[in-house]
Amino acid sequence: MRTSLLGLLAGTAAIVIAASSANAADLPSRRAPAPVYNAVPAFTWTGFYAGLNAGYGWNAGTSRHYDPAFGYVGSGKTGGFTGGGQVGYNYQIGMFVIGAETDLQYASVGNKGGYYGPIYYRGDSNGYFGTIRARAGVAFDRALVYGTGGFAYGDIGGNSSSDALLGYRRNRDANGGYTLGAGVEYAFTNNVTAKVEGLYVNLDTKSNYALGGVYSGRRDAEFGVVRAGLNYKFD
């Protein structure tokens, strides 16, 4: 009798434990849910951008005047402020970035004057230039090191010539040429980038002719530019 009672109690306890375990398995967990992980998208240089820049330019060419006995003589080099805007597009392939950019700049880098014998010819330092360039570089996450080159055009000012009827004057036709350079750009946010860039610009030689060809002046339109800029990259 005692043995049967003990067996009944043991069986009842086993049933109760099994039922409690089943009910516990059905209850919701009290542990906090695993945090949702949203991956931050990797930065890419691909996209259109526009911005502004400012810097310093210096004339690498010479300012000369025509002397009937000695030909073109004299020289002078000057420098000054440059500034303007740019628009462009980048496309990133792995670490490599290729693209194109065009800009238009005010440039105060023209020769300011010179002498023809005892006569001083006034110069004009105001002018402009623009470029249409390809860009190619290597990206290190948000930093981009690149080279650039392409077509350049503009009129950066220069010496005037003497006209007996019209006084000092010079031609103001735009010249074409080429440009080469390099730079470093860094993305502070996904949309705002800053750059430091250097360019060498070589435009065709310009001549200024006085009435009847009595006086004429010529200058080499070569100049360098170092500038800093900010760009906004569109998503």
Side-chain angles (χ1 to χ4, degrees):
M1 182 72 173
R2 184 178 179 180
T3 301
S4 299
L5 180 59
L6 291 175
L8 179 61
L9 292 174
T12 302
I15 293 172
V16 171
I17 292 172
S20 299
S21 299
N23 289 335
D26 293 336
L27 292 176
S29 174
R30 294 184 179 181
R31 291 179 299 177
V36 178
Y37 177 71
N38 293 324
V40 178
F43 175 78
T44 177
W45 286 94
T46 298
F48 288 96
Y49 63 88
L52 300 172
N53 69 79
Y56 181 82
W58 63 95
N59 200 312
T62 59
S63 173
R64 293 176 288 180
H65 300 278
Y66 183 75
D67 186 310
F70 300 102
Y72 287 101
V73 297
S75 65
K77 300 178 181 180
T78 60
F81 172 79
T82 69
Q86 68 274 344
V87 296
Y89 179 80
N90 289 320
Y91 184 75
Q92 184 167 354
I93 308 171
M95 291 183 61
F96 300 99
V97 178
I98 58 176
E101 181 176 291
T102 182
D103 64 336
L104 185 61
Q105 310 287 130
Y106 166 81
S108 179
V109 298
N111 294 303
K112 298 182 183 300
Y115 283 92
Y116 173 68
I119 303 174
Y120 178 76
Y121 292 85
R122 294 179 299 181
D124 184 355
S125 63
N126 296 317
Y128 75 93
F129 75 95
T131 69
I132 302 173
R133 295 173 283 110
R135 298 205 318 168
V138 179
F140 303 93
D141 191 18
R142 292 178 176 269
L144 174 64
V145 181
Y146 63 89
T148 184
F151 175 72
Y153 62 93
D155 177 4
I156 65 165
N159 288 51
S160 302
S161 296
S162 175
D163 186 309
L165 297 178
L166 302 177
Y168 289 100
R169 68 190 186 104
R170 72 178 185 88
N171 297 328
R172 292 186 177 272
D173 298 329
N175 293 327
Y178 68 92
T179 180
L180 296 172
V184 178
E185 191 166 359
Y186 185 81
F188 290 98
T189 71
N190 287 347
N191 299 104
V192 178
T193 71
K195 69 175 182 178
V196 177
E197 183 178 71
L199 292 177
Y200 165 76
V201 182
N202 188 316
L203 302 178
D204 291 340
T205 299
K206 171 170 290 188
S207 296
N208 299 319
Y209 297 99
L211 184 66
V214 177
Y215 297 105
S216 64
R218 172 172 93 177
R219 50 186 297 278
D220 296 328
E222 302 175 58
F223 57 98
V225 175
V226 174
R227 61 191 182 184
L230 285 174
N231 286 322
Y232 182 86
K233 187 174 79 70
F234 300 95
D235 294 328

